[in-house]
């Protein structure tokens, strides 16, 4: 059953991204453009997401283990280092310039527009470069 739940969760998440407009780069860029043609609707999307996920975390931490895994895979590091800050800066710049982040980029590739594939290839190249530089 685990693969079915993973597929269902992915499809539901992708549908939510599409319906909310987060897979539309222009909508995201207008949300980030507070000095110009600002579109506050994505703030409502993010607020609604918090309303859904917050009770989920309440129940999650009452469980001893997830249903389809032996243990929770939660981050343990709490320090802030230069790699975290640089990564956050690069993510923010990339999100503002392209209007896409990883999950909406994957959803947007389903449209077949070549620009989304270029973004996806650049994203994967960045992941490979990170592994080559920092994890080898």
């Amino acid at each position: 059953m685990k693969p079915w739940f993973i597929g269902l969760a992915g499809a539901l998440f992708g549908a939510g991204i599409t319906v909310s407009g987060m897979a539309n780069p222009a909508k995201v860029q207008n949300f980030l453009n507070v000095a110009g043609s600002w579109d506050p609707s994505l703030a409502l999307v993010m607020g609604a997401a918090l309303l859904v996920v917050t009770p989920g975390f309440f129940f999650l931490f009452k469980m001893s283990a997830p249903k389809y895994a032996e243990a929770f895979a939660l981050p343990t590091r709490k320090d802030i280092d230069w790699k975290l800050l640089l990564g956050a800066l690069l993510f923010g710049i990339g999100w503002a310039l392209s209007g896409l982040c990883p999950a909406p980029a994957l959803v947007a590739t389903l449209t077949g527009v070549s620009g989304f594939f270029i973004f996806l290839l650049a994203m994967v190249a960045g992941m490979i470069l990170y592994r080559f530089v920092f994890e080898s």
Side-chain angles (χ1 to χ4, degrees):
M1 290 298 291
K2 182 180 176 179
W4 289 101
F5 281 108
I6 292 171
L8 178 63
L12 187 60
F13 184 69
I17 286 173
T18 303
V19 169
S20 69
M22 295 226 28
N24 179 353
K27 188 165 188 72
V28 173
Q29 288 171 326
N30 285 335
F31 170 71
L32 296 172
N33 186 6
V34 293
S37 57
W38 186 54
D39 178 1
S41 63
L42 288 185
L44 298 173
V45 170
M46 292 177 208
L50 281 173
L51 287 175
V52 170
V53 78
T54 301
F57 273 106
F58 174 77
F59 292 112
L60 175 83
F61 289 121
K62 295 222 179 266
M63 298 171 58
S64 60
K67 185 160 179 74
Y68 294 110
E70 295 172 12
F72 289 109
L74 299 172
T76 56
R77 288 187 59 179
K78 304 216 184 289
D79 60 319
I80 298 174
D81 64 356
W82 69 271
K83 289 192 283 186
L84 176 66
L85 293 174
L86 180 62
L89 179 68
L90 290 173
F91 177 89
I93 290 169
W95 193 42
L97 290 175
S98 68
L100 290 169
C101 61
L106 289 172
V107 172
T109 56
L110 297 175
T111 66
V113 175
S114 62
F116 295 134
F117 287 106
I118 294 168
F119 178 90
L120 194 62
L121 288 174
M123 184 177 73
V124 170
M127 291 176 188
I128 292 168
L129 180 63
Y130 176 87
R131 284 194 174 198
F132 179 74
V133 172
F134 293 109
E135 294 181 1
S136 58

